[in-house]
Each structure stands twice: as structure tokens, then as C-alpha cells.
Amino acid sequence: MIESEYASMADGLVRRLVDTQLPAMRAAAAMVAECVAGGGVLQAFGTGHSRIVTLELAARAGGLAPVSMLAVKDLVMFGDEDPAAILDPKYERVSGLAERVYDLGGVAPGDLFLIVSNSGLNAAIVEMAHLVRARGHRLIAVTSLAHTRSTDARRSGGAHLADLADVVIDNLAPPGDAAIEVGQGVRIGAVSSLTGVLIAQVITELTCRHLLEMGQDVPVYVSANLAAGDAHNQTLTDRYGARVRPIEP
């Protein structure tokens, strides 16, 4: 019988993430709660598969309403970029994308940023981190410290995402993300999405608990597939309006 090493590894990885990263997740949640209580929005940005984590935070049943997902595809959806341009998976390495995405996002001064990148080194990620810090936003990073420490940045100045954040949450992924060797040098089993989704949900939970302790309203979506879902969610859409981007169906 063929056994799954990934399934066995996942259990220990989740436990290790909670054991080592809970203090950072608590700090991140306190920042998000302060932002939301002050009328701000959490701006979540990632490229490639890191968008899975930002999607887990934005427009999610059981998730916070004041979360807006920023992405390179915004250049097409909300800007005038040729769709063919962003089909290149290496497009995230192009300098200058970050400022264009930021400018299209309707970002307000009190907004908080959460940037997700396993490697933490591509131009779109590092430039966005520099930009949000320069414009006075606080920054939470979700990244692989093992990968970050093993690879030079692809941007002049040499900074990585982790170097620029107020709070860094390590997703515990190995360099290259693939955690299992199945033989003949073949590596599989990416873990950054697994731990990233857990990080997103823990931050959401702790943020909501912070807001309740602060005596604040907790603006959370319910499933649109429940009877009262559309009506409830519309009140949140009306409340935040264009501050929060819709996600594609």
C-alpha cells in the first residue's frame, strides 16, 4: 500500500506553526483589529500561488468584510493593461507593477497591508513593501524565512519582504516550497498554501475576538448560500462601498 508522507507531515507542520508563530499571529491580529476599529481596511496583496492566502481573507464566508484583495490582475480588471501581458508567470518580477496596483486600489491612509510571498524576493512584492512603508502604512508579512534566507533578492538594494515588515509570520515552508522527496531527486508537496490558509484563519479569529473585547462591531460575512446571506452581506457592501474590491465569481 502506498502511504502519504504529506498527510503525516501536515499534522506536525500545523502543530509547529501554532507553537512557533502564534505570538506573531496575535500581534498581526491586534494590528488588524486596530485598523478595522478605526475605519480602515486590510489590503491583502500576493502574486502567484500566494494569492490563495489573500483570497482566504477577502470576501470569505465567516471572514472580515473590510479586507480588499489586491493583485497583478487588477492592472487588467481595473486598469488598461493588455491581458496577454499578465499571462507570463514571470511578470511579477517586472519593476514598476506595485505602484500601479497600489494606485488602482483606492487605498486610504489608515489602511493596513498584509503581503504574502513564499520567497519574499520578487520585484512586485518587495516594491509594494517599500511603497506601503514609504506611504505610512503598517505591514504584516507572511513568508518563508527559510527561503528568504537562502536566496538573494531580485531587486536593487537587496531587501526581502521580511526585512520591511512590522510583523513577520513564517509559513515554515522550505526553500522552493516542495517539502517531500519521492525519489530520483523529485520534490513535491508544497506547504505554503496549507500553512498560509491556517495563518489567515487564525488572524481572522483573533481579530474578531479583539474587536469584541474592544466593544466594537464585528463586520463578518455570512455565506451567500444561506437564506439570510445576501441581505446581511449587502449591509456590509453598503458600509464599505468601493473601499473593498469585489472578487471574481
Side-chain angles (χ1 to χ4, degrees):
M1 179 182 296
I2 297 177
E3 300 292 340
S4 171
E5 184 179 345
Y6 190 94
S8 300
M9 176 198 64
D11 180 61
L13 186 64
V14 166
R15 293 177 184 275
R16 186 158 64 93
L17 182 80
V18 174
D19 288 344
T20 64
Q21 300 306 304
L22 190 55
M25 290 188 279
R26 290 186 190 278
M31 291 169 62
V32 178
E34 181 181 348
C35 171
V36 172
V41 166
L42 176 64
Q43 303 284 351
F45 177 66
T47 60
H49 279 83
S50 293
R51 289 176 298 168
I52 291 171
V53 183
T54 64
L55 191 60
E56 188 70 11
L57 287 164
R60 188 73 168 86
L64 288 163
V67 179
S68 193
M69 177 180 170
L70 304 181
V72 172
K73 67 180 177 61
D74 295 350
L75 300 176
V76 174
M77 301 292 289
F78 305 104
D80 58 3
E81 183 65 88
D82 183 347
I86 69 169
L87 294 179
D88 181 354
K90 296 180 181 178
Y91 196 51
E92 64 182 326
R93 301 180 185 179
V94 175
S95 183
L97 297 182
E99 187 167 10
R100 294 164 61 197
V101 171
Y102 179 100
D103 289 344
L104 286 169
V107 179
D111 289 351
L112 171 68
F113 272 75
L114 183 146
I115 300 180
V116 187
S117 173
N118 192 61
S119 65
L121 58 84
N122 285 307
I125 293 297
V126 176
E127 289 180 6
M128 182 66 84
H130 275 290
L131 179 64
V132 302
R133 293 306 301 267
R135 298 195 180 180
H137 303 284
R138 292 191 296 172
L139 172 59
I140 300 163
V142 178
T143 190
S144 164
L145 291 181
H147 193 131
T148 286
R149 290 166 178 162
S150 70
T151 311
D152 290 336
R154 287 198 177 104
R155 185 184 182 281
S156 60
H160 293 72
L161 171 61
D163 301 323
L164 301 167
D166 296 284
V167 172
V168 177
I169 304 172
D170 187 0
N171 66 16
L172 303 186
D177 208 359
I180 298 170
E181 183 172 348
V182 293
Q184 299 181 354
V186 176
R187 298 195 68 83
I188 63 165
V191 300
S192 62
S193 297
L194 171 68
T195 54
V197 166
L198 177 59
I199 290 165
Q201 290 295 344
V202 171
I203 289 175
T204 298
E205 177 198 358
L206 297 181
T207 297
C208 291
R209 295 189 185 280
H210 271 294
L211 289 170
L212 288 170
E213 288 184 355
M214 297 163 69
Q216 295 284 327
D217 175 44
V218 183
V220 169
Y221 290 119
V222 301
S223 172
N225 296 311
L226 294 175
D230 285 346
H232 172 87
N233 294 340
Q234 187 60 49
T235 64
L236 296 172
T237 299
D238 293 342
R239 176 174 172 179
Y240 290 102
R243 299 284 320 285
V244 173
R245 284 274 179 75
I247 61 171
E248 66 275 12

